Amino acid sequence: MTAEVNLKFIWDTVSRISHGNNVHAYVVDSGGALIAHPDISLVLKKVSLDGTPQALSLKQDNSGNVGRNFSGEEVSFAKAAIPALGWTVFVESPWRQSQAVLDQAMLRSAFLLVAGILIAAVVSFLLARTMVKPLKALRDGASKIGGGDFDHRIMVRSGDELEVLAEQFNRMGAGLKASYSQLELKVAERTAELQQEQLRANQLLHNIFPEAIADELARTGKVRPVRHEAVSILFTDFSGFTQAAATMPADRIVAELNEIFAEFDAITDRYGVEKIKTIGDAYMAAAGLPLSCHDHAQRCVRAGLAMLEFLRCRNGFSAFKWSLRVGVHSGPVVAGVVGARKYAFDVWGDTVNVASRVESAGRPDSVNVSAYTYDLIRDEFECEYRGKIEAKGKGIFDMYFVKGAH
C-alpha cells in the first residue's frame, strides 16, 4: 500500500513538471526501466531506455545531451539523480524548440551587441565632436596667431580647461599685437634715425671729397688711385702770415682763416675747381680732376683772380689787412684717397711741387703762372711775362703774372 502511494506521488510530481506536449519529465531506475511518465501506458508497457543516449548518460557523469524520446523524435534532455532510490529524473524537450530558444537567445545577444556597438559609436562620435572641435579651433587659432594674425580670436565655449587655454591664446595674441606695434614703431624710428645718419654721413663725405670720389667711397669703401694727364694746381699763401699770427690771439687768427677759407670754398665751387686741402695758411685746389675738363687752367686762374678780389674788398673794411700770393701750374698728377680711419683725398706728382714753387716765387696780390699754364690761357687772359725765375729746388722757369681777362 505504501509503495502504491509513493508511486502515485511520483507520478503526480512528474506530471506537474510536464509542459503540454513539448516538455515533460519521467523517472527511470538504475537499469533504465521506466518508473513514472506522464503517459502511464508507457510505464505499464515497461518501456526501457536501453540503447538510447539517455541510457548511456546514466553511466556517464554528464547532466544533459541530445537524444531521442520514446517516439523516436530528437530531443534535448537533462537529468538529475536520486541517489537514495537509485533513480534518475529526466526532463526532455524537442530539439527544435530548444534550438529555437537558443537561436532567439543568440539573436537577442547579437542584437544587444550591435545596439551596444552603435550606441558606443554614437557616444564616441559625440564625445569626439565635443573634444575634437575645440582642439581643432585651438590648433587653427594658434597657427593663425603664430602666422602674424594677432587680431584672430579663438572661440571655444566648452566650459573646461580647453576654454581656459583658448582665452590664454587670445590674451597672448593681444599681447603680441601690442608688442609688435611697439616694435614697428621703434623700427620706424630707428630706420628714420639711420637714414638721417646716412644722409649726414653722405653730406660729410661730399663736403670732404669731390662728388665722384665720395660716391665711389660710399659704394665700395675705397677709392682707386687714378693718374690724370691734364690738371692745373692752384696754391695760395698769405704774405707775412707768420708775423701777423704772432701778434694775434689764437681764436682771432682761427676766425680770420675760417672766414677767408669759407669764401675760397665758395669761389672754387663757383668756378668748378676742387678744393684739395689747407695746410696752415696755405690753400690748395685743383681743376681737371676727378673728372677731366679742357679748361682746367682757365678755371684755376679765374678762381685765383676771384680770391684776390675778395680780399681786396674785405681789406676795405676789415681791421686786419691780408695780402695773398696765388700760383698756378699745369701738368699730370696722381689722385687718390689715403688713410684707414681718417680718409684724405690728395694729389701727388712733380706738378704739385712746381705749383707750390710758382706760388712762392710770386708776389702779393698777384696770380703767378708757369709757362705751361700760360700756354693754355693766353687766348683768354692778358699776362705779363716776368722772365726766367728760379723755382727753389726745381730750376729756372718762365713765369707770367695774370693781369686779367681780355
Side-chain angles (χ1 to χ4, degrees):
M1 184 67 180
T2 302
E4 291 177 358
V5 172
N6 288 339
L7 288 174
K8 185 176 185 305
F9 172 76
I10 292 171
W11 185 83
D12 290 339
T13 301
V14 169
S15 297
R16 292 190 183 96
I17 295 175
S18 299
H19 181 71
N21 296 323
N22 295 326
V23 180
H24 57 265
Y26 57 91
V27 180
V28 297
D29 61 13
S30 59
L34 192 62
I35 295 175
H37 192 280
D39 186 358
I40 191 63
S41 63
L42 296 177
V43 176
L44 295 176
K45 292 179 181 180
K46 298 182 180 182
V47 175
S48 176
L49 295 178
D50 290 340
T52 66
Q54 290 90 326
L56 184 60
S57 69
L58 291 175
K59 301 176 183 180
Q60 298 176 352
D61 188 16
N62 58 340
S63 58
N65 212 322
V66 178
R68 294 187 178 276
N69 61 14
F70 295 109
S71 300
E73 297 175 346
E74 191 174 25
V75 294
S76 60
F77 66 87
K79 71 178 183 176
I82 304 175
L85 300 176
W87 294 350
T88 302
V89 179
F90 282 90
V91 179
E92 294 180 350
S93 65
W95 168 249
R96 291 181 179 179
Q97 180 178 341
S98 300
Q99 187 65 33
V101 172
L102 181 60
D103 290 343
Q104 290 177 359
M106 292 180 63
L107 183 61
R108 283 195 299 270
S109 299
F111 174 77
L112 291 175
L113 178 62
V114 172
I117 292 174
L118 289 176
I119 292 172
V122 171
V123 172
S124 299
F125 176 75
L126 294 177
L127 288 176
R129 282 183 60 86
T130 303
M131 295 295 295
V132 171
K133 186 176 180 180
L135 289 175
K136 185 176 183 299
L138 284 172
R139 183 197 65 187
D140 295 342
S143 177
K144 290 182 179 180
I145 292 174
D149 186 6
F150 302 133
D151 290 323
H152 180 75
R153 292 295 176 266
I154 303 174
M155 304 303 294
V156 174
R157 295 294 181 265
S158 58
D160 55 9
E161 290 80 0
L162 293 178
E163 183 175 349
V164 175
L165 183 60
E167 289 300 322
Q168 291 178 348
F169 270 111
N170 292 336
R171 286 195 294 272
M172 181 183 68
L176 287 174
K177 180 180 180 181
S179 300
Y180 188 73
S181 298
Q182 294 178 357
L183 180 61
E184 282 186 327
L185 181 60
K186 290 181 180 180
V187 169
E189 292 175 351
R190 185 55 181 160
T191 301
E193 292 176 359
L194 290 175
Q195 289 175 345
Q196 289 296 323
E197 291 294 333
Q198 186 177 12
L199 180 60
R200 284 193 290 268
N202 289 336
Q203 290 175 343
L204 182 60
L205 283 177
H206 284 83
N207 288 338
I208 297 174
F209 303 115
E211 183 175 356
I213 299 299
D215 292 340
E216 182 179 356
L217 186 61
R219 185 175 62 256
T220 65
K222 59 183 180 180
V223 176
R224 178 175 54 87
V226 178
R227 178 178 175 85
H228 300 274
E229 297 296 337
V231 174
S232 291
I233 303 296
L234 176 147
F235 271 100
T236 72
D237 191 20
F238 292 105
S239 177
F241 176 81
T242 303
Q243 294 81 0
T247 62
M248 294 175 64
D251 57 345
R252 184 56 188 273
I253 191 65
V254 172
E256 287 286 309
L257 288 177
N258 183 63
E259 181 182 341
I260 295 171
F261 285 162
E263 182 60 27
F264 284 4
D265 290 345
I267 291 172
T268 54
D269 288 343
R270 186 161 63 246
Y271 289 104
V273 179
E274 292 290 345
K275 174 186 175 181
I276 303 300
K277 59 184 175 181
T278 59
I279 308 171
D281 64 319
Y283 188 97
M284 178 183 176
L289 58 82
L291 300 177
S292 61
C293 58
H294 68 281
D295 60 342
H296 52 87
Q298 291 87 339
R299 294 185 183 191
C300 282
V301 170
R302 293 191 189 99
L305 292 173
M307 292 173 181
L308 292 176
E309 180 61 22
F310 163 71
L311 282 180
R312 186 186 67 78
C313 294
R314 185 178 186 277
N315 289 340
F317 60 84
S318 176
F320 295 94
K321 316 298 181 184
W322 297 100
S323 295
L324 186 71
R325 293 190 302 269
V326 179
V328 180
H329 177 61
S330 303
V333 298
V334 174
V337 174
V338 294
R341 291 188 301 110
K342 296 181 179 181
Y343 295 113
F345 177 70
D346 209 346
V347 293
W348 303 272
D350 194 58
T351 299
V352 178
N353 298 327
V354 172
S356 176
R357 297 296 184 266
V358 170
E359 176 271 314
S360 300
R363 68 186 182 195
D365 305 322
S366 297
V367 175
N368 189 36
V369 299
S370 67
Y372 298 96
T373 303
Y374 168 74
D375 192 49
L376 297 173
I377 66 170
R378 61 182 181 178
D379 292 336
E380 300 182 34
F381 295 91
E382 180 183 352
C383 299
E384 176 187 339
Y385 178 61
R386 298 183 58 197
K388 294 185 180 297
I389 308 296
E390 183 178 0
K392 185 178 179 180
K394 291 298 178 182
I396 298 175
F397 290 87
D398 291 312
M399 297 187 188
Y400 296 79
F401 284 135
V402 178
K403 309 302 289 184
H406 287 309

